[in-house]
Amino acid sequence: MKKILWVLIGIIFIAGCTKLETKPEEVDPEPVVIEFWYGLTGNQGKAMETFIDSFNQSQDEVFVKGVSQESYQVTSKALKSSIVKKSVPDVVLLEDSNMFEMANKGVLKDLSPFIDQRPGFREDFVSSFFEQNVMDDKIYALPIYGTTQVLYYRKDMFEQAGIDLDLLNTWEGLAEAARILTKRDDQGETIVYGFALMQGRENIIDSSINRGGRFISGDGHTMVLNSPAWNHTLENFRAWIHDEKIMKVNYGGEGWQYWYATIDDVMQGKAAGYFGSAADYKDLDFDMIGVHLRPYWEGYERNATGYLNAHTICIPEMVDDEKAQAAFLWMAYMTSPEISAAWSMETGYIPVRESSFTLPEYEAFVGEINGFQIINEQRKFSTHLLQDPTGGEIYEGIKNISVDVEVFNKPVEDNLNDLNQKLQEILDGIQKDDNQ
């Protein structure tokens, strides 16, 4: 790991010295100061501070002032408030779903003019990440890094139980493994869970997509969240958590507390595995933890087993031209092949540049880190995130139903029907306004 760290520092230094040699002969003595909002904490937050410092030291045109927040959700809420107050950050990191919402509201700049000035800039991006930022032929953001969820498991617990890892290929097999791994006390209470489902919409969307689930019908007019695909996923999750008690979810807390509580459960032997982000690798001991591709439902092995989640960096529409130009220099730096690879090596997130994957330093890193090959393999079995034309209402609805079902054991079918009807009314209203 020390070797990788020094390679990482070298990549950042070299990229910082070579990628931004575009400044004119005469520049203003003071750099343009831009404010960058991001919702990263822990290892990722510390890494972002390092990359901001590296950029600021690499040139004297732009100075990035980083503003860290507790989570992506906090950043999104803060951005909405800043727009109302007409005092926005110059550049902001958003989850793709939040970016869709902001783009639909017309409060993000179209980056096409900046990109058009850089021949070949667009072509090297991983297409499944880049295309998530394109709506109505406008480019509202750049993917700064990507992730997908994979299955992490305790190698020692599987070995002691004599469980064949092939069971993890399917959801049905995973449930069978969880039944074997679950342990109960004398009163019948579960003390070790077979698996932990990370609370939220990600697992639900991933698993429903695998069964052919969609948000909206092919003609774009009808909500289809009450289809058998979504019902099957949610009902199985509900039964495994509440009826069989072979799986669990952690819920609540500030920021990423629920996420780290899930990782702690696995590391402490309170659960035999969980579904987590590629970026979790920094918090895991791969001598103890194995990595497996996401499962598919029996009979659906040819379908994608999940979606690729692009985290995006964008510029609010209110930002003036000078600040916007400066912000794009920072965006170009963070999405350059060398820096994208360095960010992946430091955080575990997936690079957004195709050429990053073939850099010698990155290839050596992937070969050295046990399990990271599976993380990169998972992206081949994933699809684009489904765009939400309702300005975030669909994603919010799925997040809320995940709480209702996974945490509070509410009936699946009734809740899906109610959610589908509510969203249909919203979609009908949007389409009516568009046709007027």
Side-chain angles (χ1 to χ4, degrees):
M1 287 303 297
K2 289 183 177 179
K3 177 181 177 182
I4 289 176
L5 178 61
W6 283 109
V7 170
L8 170 66
I9 292 171
I11 291 175
I12 295 176
F13 178 79
I14 293 170
C17 292
T18 61
K19 287 296 174 181
L20 294 174
E21 291 178 356
T22 58
K23 57 186 178 181
E25 292 182 3
E26 295 184 4
V27 297
D28 293 333
E30 296 295 328
V32 179
V33 178
I34 60 171
E35 194 167 271
F36 170 47
W37 289 7
Y38 60 95
L40 298 171
T41 59
N43 290 323
Q44 287 81 26
K46 293 176 182 177
M48 183 58 76
E49 291 175 4
T50 299
F51 281 74
I52 290 172
D53 288 344
S54 173
F55 173 77
N56 288 337
Q57 294 173 20
S58 71
Q59 43 75 56
D60 55 14
E61 293 179 64
V62 180
F63 183 88
V64 175
K65 179 183 177 183
V67 179
S68 175
Q69 284 139 347
E70 292 178 354
S71 68
Y72 301 123
Q73 290 74 25
V74 171
T75 301
S76 178
K77 290 179 181 178
L79 176 61
K80 293 174 185 177
S81 177
S82 73
I83 291 171
V84 173
K85 297 175 182 177
K86 297 185 178 180
S87 179
V88 297
D90 303 298
V91 59
V92 60
L93 172 63
L94 295 174
E95 276 191 301
D96 39 17
S97 57
N98 297 135
M99 185 276 296
F100 296 156
E101 179 184 0
M102 295 293 100
N104 277 322
K105 291 180 178 179
V107 296
L108 299 181
K109 280 190 183 297
D110 176 12
L111 303 180
S112 301
F114 302 107
I115 294 172
D116 291 344
Q117 296 174 12
R118 295 170 174 259
F121 180 80
R122 175 175 179 170
E123 286 72 17
D124 186 44
F125 278 94
V126 175
S127 61
S128 55
F129 288 144
F130 189 90
E131 295 304 320
Q132 292 182 35
N133 304 287
V134 181
M135 300 171 63
D136 299 325
D137 297 324
K138 294 183 179 180
I139 305 168
Y140 288 104
L142 293 180
I144 187 173
Y145 53 84
T147 189
T148 189
Q149 291 209 346
V150 292
L151 190 159
Y152 295 106
Y153 66 93
R154 284 284 298 258
K155 293 187 285 189
D156 56 341
M157 296 172 74
F158 268 74
E159 185 176 345
Q160 290 167 12
I163 297 176
D164 189 333
L165 291 178
D166 284 345
L167 277 179
L168 300 182
N169 293 341
T170 67
W171 278 104
E172 293 83 356
L174 174 68
E176 182 58 32
R179 293 183 187 104
I180 297 170
L181 290 160
T182 296
K183 296 180 180 179
R184 309 183 196 279
D185 62 19
D186 293 339
Q187 286 73 43
E189 295 295 323
T190 303
I191 54 176
V192 176
Y193 287 88
F195 268 86
L197 292 171
M198 190 66 76
Q199 208 285 307
R201 61 182 175 234
E202 287 83 2
N203 270 313
I204 293 170
I205 296 174
D206 277 338
S207 304
S208 299
I209 284 174
N210 177 239
R211 290 187 71 88
R214 301 283 301 172
F215 290 170
I216 302 172
S217 60
D219 62 11
H221 298 306
T222 306
M223 293 298 309
V224 290
L225 287 178
N226 58 348
S227 69
W230 294 93
N231 197 308
H232 186 91
T233 292
L234 278 162
E235 180 54 35
N236 275 279
F237 286 7
R238 188 205 63 76
W240 292 334
I241 295 167
H242 296 288
D243 295 347
E244 294 193 67
K245 295 181 172 58
I246 58 174
M247 298 187 191
K248 69 172 295 189
V249 293
N250 286 299
Y251 174 67
E254 297 293 328
W256 295 102
Q257 185 174 336
Y258 74 99
W259 194 285
Y260 290 113
T262 305
I263 295 175
D264 288 343
D265 280 344
V266 176
M267 297 301 294
Q268 295 171 15
K270 297 177 182 178
Y274 81 106
F275 290 92
S277 167
D280 291 350
Y281 99 95
K282 276 278 188 173
D283 298 297
L284 301 173
D285 177 0
F286 282 114
D287 290 334
M288 178 190 301
I289 301 297
V291 188
H292 198 281
L293 296 174
R294 286 188 60 83
Y296 50 82
W297 296 105
E298 289 181 0
Y300 293 89
E301 61 270 19
R302 294 184 182 275
N303 290 358
T305 57
Y307 68 87
L308 290 170
N309 185 2
H311 294 76
T312 67
I313 191 168
C314 39
I315 303 173
E317 178 60 39
M318 291 182 185
V319 176
D320 65 39
D321 290 344
E322 182 185 33
K323 291 286 186 87
Q325 289 281 356
F328 195 82
L329 277 179
W330 161 240
M331 296 166 72
Y333 175 85
M334 280 302 295
T335 60
S336 65
E338 295 84 359
I339 295 301
S340 189
W343 177 261
S344 175
M345 292 161 64
E346 181 61 20
T347 65
Y349 285 112
I350 301 172
V352 297
R353 293 286 197 165
E354 290 288 356
S355 56
S356 297
F357 293 96
T358 58
L359 290 173
E361 298 87 354
Y362 190 74
E363 288 182 333
F365 164 77
V366 172
E368 183 173 337
I369 301 299
N370 183 28
F372 212 80
Q373 300 91 331
I374 300 296
I375 293 172
N376 272 330
E377 186 75 6
Q378 178 62 51
R379 73 187 183 100
K380 300 176 183 178
F381 299 96
S382 301
T383 187
H384 292 227
L385 182 63
L386 303 173
Q387 288 198 5
D388 180 353
T390 65
E393 294 290 345
I394 293 176
Y395 286 111
E396 188 68 17
I398 297 174
K399 183 182 76 173
N400 291 338
I401 204 171
S402 76
V403 174
D404 288 341
V405 172
E406 294 178 338
V407 178
F408 298 114
N409 195 22
K410 292 186 178 180
V412 171
E413 187 171 1
D414 290 345
N415 276 269
L416 271 178
N417 286 334
D418 290 347
L419 175 61
N420 202 75
Q421 181 178 345
K422 173 187 175 182
L423 292 172
Q424 185 65 57
E425 293 172 359
I426 294 172
L427 182 64
D428 289 344
I430 292 171
Q431 294 181 340
K432 181 180 179 180
D433 291 341
D434 290 343
N435 292 328
Q436 288 180 347

